[in-house]
Amino acid sequence: MSRPLVKIGPHLLPNALFVAPMAGVTDRPFRQLCRRLGAGYAVSEMVTSRKELWGSLKTSRRADHSGEPGPIAVQIAGTDAAMMAEAAAYNVDRGAQIIDINMGCPAKKVCNKWAGSALMRNEALALEIVESVVAQCVPRGVPVTLKMRTGWSADERNALRLAKLFEAAGIAMLTIHGRTREQGYKGLAEYDTIAAVKAALSIPVVANGDIDTPEKARDVLAYTQADALMIGRAAQGRPWIFREVAHFLATGEHLPPPTIVEARDVLTEHLHDHYGLYGELSGVRSARKHIGWAVRGLPGGEAFRQHMNTLERCDQQLQALRDWFDELGQAHDRLPPTLAAANDEDAQADEACAA
């Protein structure tokens, strides 16, 4: 399925498969991993517009792009137009080449402050934020993109109306998750709204939500006519989904699943990068979710996950992982063709604004 490459301002992206910004997940090591395995574009996890938090360790890690291939895209979140513009300028000064506005996160701790997808209920404020951020970024040659949902609820689907306003205000690309805020990550994504937005706009439109197989990617592209796809939860523990989807869209054929050895080595490399960013104490704990997603659905995976959660040192974690995969490799050459995507909605909803 051939389609033109997506351009965001001056940046021509290598393909139309994007990594969704997910708080607590899409840090620099994970973004780089997905890029190496076929993603053409990755947006950072959400960075607050609250100035007093910019110097925190958490925010500094989220803003770490060292060694990352461009374009560097940073997502910002907040409810005050002036603060959002200032946050955009702050991140541009530190290397951001694209600024993305978060209007899609459904987490209660975000929406209770009227940020994320809650902004869709205040269209005047949403537009004011977009206009302020665009006015700050575009004169500096930095395009502004935006990610949102179909609306607040089934009775308040206003994505199409907002999309037209955002395009007129200077947004360079729009991503739509095919759920309302009320749905969170439950139920099924719908693509009629995305198709309607794509038909009405001239800027690139990206489809997001429930894209977890090559066939689903093909079908969503065909149905919505979107310019690109954004994949989030399905890449957790399965970062090679991007190359699998790319190969299927290009050829109509499936790539064989990764070998056990490759899966082991990919995860080991990712963990080394992860520890380098977070350090020993924080790194060994935050790595547990990535390991849990990677072994989910594999024979003995749940027992290993429980054991791995008792380990407190990076070297112990790495060795246990290698030993477990080596043992698995004695019985299996490759991973199973399909695995259930990481989908712990209830556990993730308040932490990870996942897609």
Side-chain angles (χ1 to χ4, degrees):
M1 187 178 295
S2 177
R3 57 185 54 236
L5 294 176
V6 175
K7 192 174 185 182
I8 308 175
H11 308 290
L12 184 65
L13 305 180
N15 66 42
L17 300 175
F18 303 166
V19 186
M22 297 177 281
V25 180
T26 48
D27 52 21
R28 175 178 50 78
F30 188 78
R31 293 193 303 269
Q32 288 179 307
L33 174 66
C34 292
R35 293 287 294 270
R36 288 196 299 271
L37 292 171
Y41 178 63
V43 182
S44 78
E45 50 187 326
M46 182 175 58
V47 175
T48 180
S49 62
R50 292 172 57 189
K51 190 173 184 177
E52 68 270 20
L53 297 179
W54 291 348
S56 69
L57 180 60
K58 183 176 183 179
T59 299
S60 66
R61 284 173 175 159
R62 289 186 171 189
D64 188 320
H65 298 276
S66 53
E68 190 171 356
I72 304 300
V74 175
Q75 186 182 79
I76 59 174
T79 59
D80 182 271
M83 289 172 61
M84 287 285 279
E86 188 177 9
Y90 175 84
N91 283 283
V92 169
D93 288 342
R94 280 148 187 80
Q97 297 168 293
I98 296 171
I99 292 293
D100 185 68
I101 298 174
N102 182 317
M103 288 192 193
C105 181
K108 290 180 182 178
K109 67 181 181 183
V110 175
C111 288
N112 285 347
K113 298 176 182 177
W114 290 96
S117 54
L119 283 170
M120 297 185 70
R121 300 193 88 180
N122 188 337
E123 295 184 5
L125 176 59
L127 183 59
E128 182 186 2
I129 287 173
V130 167
E131 290 173 339
S132 296
V133 174
V134 167
Q136 181 65 243
C137 294
V138 171
R140 302 177 65 177
V142 175
V144 180
T145 62
L146 187 143
K147 187 172 188 286
M148 66 179 181
R149 292 196 161 219
T150 58
W152 179 260
S153 66
D155 295 328
E156 297 180 70
R157 283 202 178 101
N158 58 342
L160 178 57
R161 183 167 61 250
L162 280 173
K164 293 177 180 178
L165 293 172
F166 295 157
E167 180 182 37
I171 288 295
M173 184 181 79
L174 190 66
T175 300
I176 304 175
H177 183 123
R179 286 183 173 87
T180 64
R181 188 276 162 188
E182 193 175 66
Q183 283 181 272
Y185 302 106
K186 292 179 167 49
L188 298 175
E190 59 92 2
Y191 305 107
D192 290 334
T193 301
I194 301 174
V197 170
K198 170 56 188 172
L201 268 56
S202 59
I203 60 174
V205 173
V206 184
N208 175 228
D210 292 352
I211 300 166
D212 55 5
T213 66
E215 289 86 355
K216 188 63 175 286
R218 174 200 60 199
D219 294 345
V220 170
L221 278 176
Y223 188 80
T224 65
Q225 292 298 300
D227 300 280
L229 300 175
M230 183 171 277
I231 298 174
R233 286 174 293 154
Q236 295 172 358
R238 189 182 158 200
W240 38 80
I241 188 174
F242 297 100
R243 73 181 186 194
E244 292 175 344
V245 170
H247 183 81
F248 182 80
L249 293 179
T251 68
E253 299 177 352
H254 286 278
L255 278 178
T259 65
I260 299 298
V261 171
E262 182 188 12
R264 178 201 68 192
D265 291 346
V266 164
L267 187 54
T268 298
E269 181 183 3
H270 178 212
L271 290 182
H272 278 296
D273 289 345
H274 189 88
Y275 300 148
L277 178 62
Y278 292 97
E280 175 92 20
L281 180 61
S282 181
V284 75
R285 295 178 180 177
S286 56
R288 289 170 181 164
K289 60 177 175 281
H290 291 284
I291 298 172
W293 292 327
V295 304
R296 184 171 182 164
L298 295 175
E302 177 57 25
F304 172 70
R305 186 189 65 82
Q306 293 181 17
H307 167 67
M308 180 268 303
N309 284 346
T310 68
L311 304 178
E312 296 291 345
R313 297 203 321 261
C314 296
D315 60 337
Q316 292 175 330
Q317 200 174 60
L318 276 172
Q319 191 59 54
L321 181 76
R322 294 189 66 87
D323 291 346
W324 187 82
F325 268 99
D326 287 345
E327 183 177 348
L328 183 67
Q330 294 177 14
H332 305 274
D333 291 331
R334 295 182 179 273
L335 295 180
T338 58
L339 289 171
N343 195 25
D344 301 319
E345 291 104 336
D346 294 334
Q348 294 183 66
D350 281 338
E351 178 201 3
C353 300

